[in-house]
Amino acid sequence: MKWLIVAPNFTDNNISVMEDFLDSTGTEYTEIFIENGTKTIPFSSDIQTAMNVTHCVILDSYQMIRKSDYALLLGVLMGRNVTTFIYTGQKYARHYEKIKIEGQTFFRCYDELPSLLNYVKNNFELFKADDRQKTALKTLFSKGIPFTSDSLAYYIQKDKPEICEMLMTAGMIADSYTSEGVPMLCVATRCDSFEKVEWLLDNGANINAVSKDRGYTAVMDAVWRKNYDITKYLIEQGADLSIISTDGQPILVLAVGNGNVKIVNLLLEHGADPDVKDSMGMSARGYAVLFKRPEMIEAMKKFPPKE
């Protein structure tokens, strides 16, 4: 963020109030003084300054309201849609309420400075987040990177964490799907990226989101990939092991079909039912016998059929 403080002159007693707050947050800011006889640079330079700020605080506007330079500055701020807070004083508060387009007031006005400062302090983290989002979007566009879910999926697969972070900062959500209907968590799982699975869950991805291509959840994809570590992690994070894929496969049937004894044991230990039948009418226990997998048969004996 880059803030602008506008005051009638550098002797204004209220300047230090905003300076102290912005200094305490480590925020970059610059200042413009409107009254004649106090400026050391042309007003055109002040306008250029206003073209490069994200937020503005105007102090003691009642002293500047009739000055043409001030009116021009307000126009620049309005035209750039700069978030602007104005200490109007009670006398001129209504003047700013008239500056509206399509019913929206462009400036947030206060007739008391403490009220203005309290609002800025209470919402400062939101201002920072909004600025980070806008900056990330600008950076993405400058690099020719589309702001789409398919783009996020691509950079997850390419293991480009800095771009993935930028897309998320720009407003992408961890629960987004590709154009083919694959949740980001499944994308990360299918490319065996443990770090991206963790990252997506940390950012609020739905652990049980179902893909539209296979009808798998992320933990089913992990089993399909024979990835024990991701399977274990997703189970520990609360993955639902009772979901059936769109083609009728329970997760334990999928594990038996893949022949990974270690994953079969893991699923059994965490409650996967070996007797749930698939669309063919076969259970994981039945497939273990059919495929002649003695280790799996023995493991399932510890979990007798429910009556």
Side-chain angles (χ1 to χ4, degrees), residues 9 22 100 124 134 136 169 195 207 227 296 306:
N9 53 63
L22 293 175
K100 298 181 180 181
F124 201 72
K134 291 177 180 177
T169 301
E195 293 77 11
I207 197 168
N227 192 314
M296 295 182 185
K306 300 175 183 177

Side-chain angles (χ1 to χ4, degrees), residues 125-177:
E125 290 303 316
L126 293 177
F127 301 151
K128 288 169 65 175
D130 181 64
D131 186 66
R132 286 194 296 269
Q133 180 179 5
K134 291 177 180 177
T135 300
L137 280 169
K138 288 179 181 178
T139 303
L140 289 170
F141 293 150
S142 70
K143 293 178 179 292
I145 299 173
F147 179 65
T148 65
S149 57
D150 284 336
S151 181
L152 178 58
Y154 175 81
Y155 288 105
I156 287 174
Q157 293 167 336
K158 292 295 182 181
D159 193 23
K160 299 289 185 181
E162 69 285 351
I163 298 179
C164 292
E165 285 284 359
M166 196 178 302
L167 282 161
M168 199 73 76
T169 301
M172 192 64 61
I173 60 173
D175 262 342
S176 58
Y177 288 65

Side-chain angles (χ1 to χ4, degrees), residues 70-136:
Y70 180 60
L72 179 57
L73 180 62
L74 290 182
V76 171
L77 295 171
M78 183 188 298
R80 293 193 58 243
N81 200 24
V82 174
T83 302
T84 302
F85 308 93
I86 303 179
Y87 170 39
T88 63
Q90 295 183 0
K91 186 174 181 181
Y92 289 104
R94 292 184 178 179
H95 172 83
Y96 292 93
E97 292 299 321
K98 296 177 182 179
I99 306 177
K100 298 181 180 181
I101 292 181
E102 296 181 355
Q104 180 179 357
T105 303
F106 269 70
F107 305 123
R108 185 174 286 273
C109 304
Y110 298 84
D111 54 19
E112 294 181 353
L113 187 59
S115 297
L116 184 158
L117 185 59
N118 284 338
Y119 183 86
V120 171
K121 286 182 176 180
N122 292 337
N123 292 276
F124 201 72
E125 290 303 316
L126 293 177
F127 301 151
K128 288 169 65 175
D130 181 64
D131 186 66
R132 286 194 296 269
Q133 180 179 5
K134 291 177 180 177
T135 300

Side-chain angles (χ1 to χ4, degrees), residues 4-300:
L4 172 64
I5 300 174
V6 179
N9 53 63
F10 60 84
T11 62
D12 191 292
N13 294 328
N14 294 316
I15 294 176
S16 61
V17 175
M18 288 308 306
E19 288 177 336
D20 291 345
F21 170 68
L22 293 175
D23 285 337
S24 71
T25 63
T27 302
E28 180 184 1
Y29 65 90
T30 188
E31 296 171 335
I32 290 177
F33 306 112
I34 297 295
E35 286 191 340
N36 294 332
T38 61
K39 293 198 299 294
T40 58
I41 55 177
F43 191 69
S44 59
S45 297
D46 291 340
I47 292 299
Q48 188 60 45
T49 296
M51 294 294 292
N52 294 287
V53 299
T54 60
H55 298 76
C56 178
V57 174
I58 296 175
L59 303 172
D60 300 329
S61 67
Y62 54 89
Q63 295 188 42
M64 304 180 285
I65 198 71
R66 290 186 174 84
K67 297 184 181 297
S68 59
D69 284 355
Y70 180 60
L72 179 57
L73 180 62
L74 290 182
V76 171
L77 295 171
M78 183 188 298
R80 293 193 58 243
N81 200 24
V82 174
T83 302
T84 302
F85 308 93
I86 303 179
Y87 170 39
T88 63
Q90 295 183 0
K91 186 174 181 181
Y92 289 104
R94 292 184 178 179
H95 172 83
Y96 292 93
E97 292 299 321
K98 296 177 182 179
I99 306 177
K100 298 181 180 181
I101 292 181
E102 296 181 355
Q104 180 179 357
T105 303
F106 269 70
F107 305 123
R108 185 174 286 273
C109 304
Y110 298 84
D111 54 19
E112 294 181 353
L113 187 59
S115 297
L116 184 158
L117 185 59
N118 284 338
Y119 183 86
V120 171
K121 286 182 176 180
N122 292 337
N123 292 276
F124 201 72
E125 290 303 316
L126 293 177
F127 301 151
K128 288 169 65 175
D130 181 64
D131 186 66
R132 286 194 296 269
Q133 180 179 5
K134 291 177 180 177
T135 300
L137 280 169
K138 288 179 181 178
T139 303
L140 289 170
F141 293 150
S142 70
K143 293 178 179 292
I145 299 173
F147 179 65
T148 65
S149 57
D150 284 336
S151 181
L152 178 58
Y154 175 81
Y155 288 105
I156 287 174
Q157 293 167 336
K158 292 295 182 181
D159 193 23
K160 299 289 185 181
E162 69 285 351
I163 298 179
C164 292
E165 285 284 359
M166 196 178 302
L167 282 161
M168 199 73 76
T169 301
M172 192 64 61
I173 60 173
D175 262 342
S176 58
Y177 288 65
T178 69
S179 57
E180 295 180 347
V182 182
M184 292 302 129
L185 194 59
C186 289
V187 171
T189 303
R190 292 178 188 184
C191 58
D192 298 313
S193 178
F194 191 98
E195 293 77 11
K196 288 297 181 299
V197 168
E198 283 186 305
W199 176 70
L200 287 164
L201 286 177
D202 287 344
N203 280 279
N206 177 7
I207 197 168
N208 295 314
V210 177
S211 66
K212 294 179 182 178
D213 56 352
R214 300 172 184 165
Y216 286 5
T217 60
V219 72
M220 296 176 81
D221 273 319
V223 169
W224 176 71
R225 294 285 302 172
K226 301 182 183 181
N227 192 314
Y228 179 86
D229 290 337
I230 292 181
T231 300
K232 184 173 183 292
Y233 176 72
L234 289 170
I235 291 173
E236 290 171 347
Q237 297 304 307
D240 187 348
L241 302 182
S242 67
I243 295 173
I244 309 295
S245 70
T246 51
D247 62 357
Q249 281 190 310
I251 192 169
L252 201 50
V253 166
L254 188 62
V256 171
N258 273 351
N260 191 304
V261 176
K262 190 176 179 181
I263 289 179
V264 167
N265 281 319
L266 177 67
L267 294 171
L268 287 168
E269 290 166 4
H270 286 85
D273 190 340
D275 297 303
V276 175
K277 295 180 180 180
D278 65 8
S279 58
M280 303 293 290
M282 286 282 285
S283 66
R285 195 188 302 273
Y287 280 116
V289 173
L290 179 65
F291 298 151
K292 298 179 180 180
R293 291 179 173 159
E295 290 181 274
M296 295 182 185
I297 294 171
E298 285 301 313
M300 292 180 194

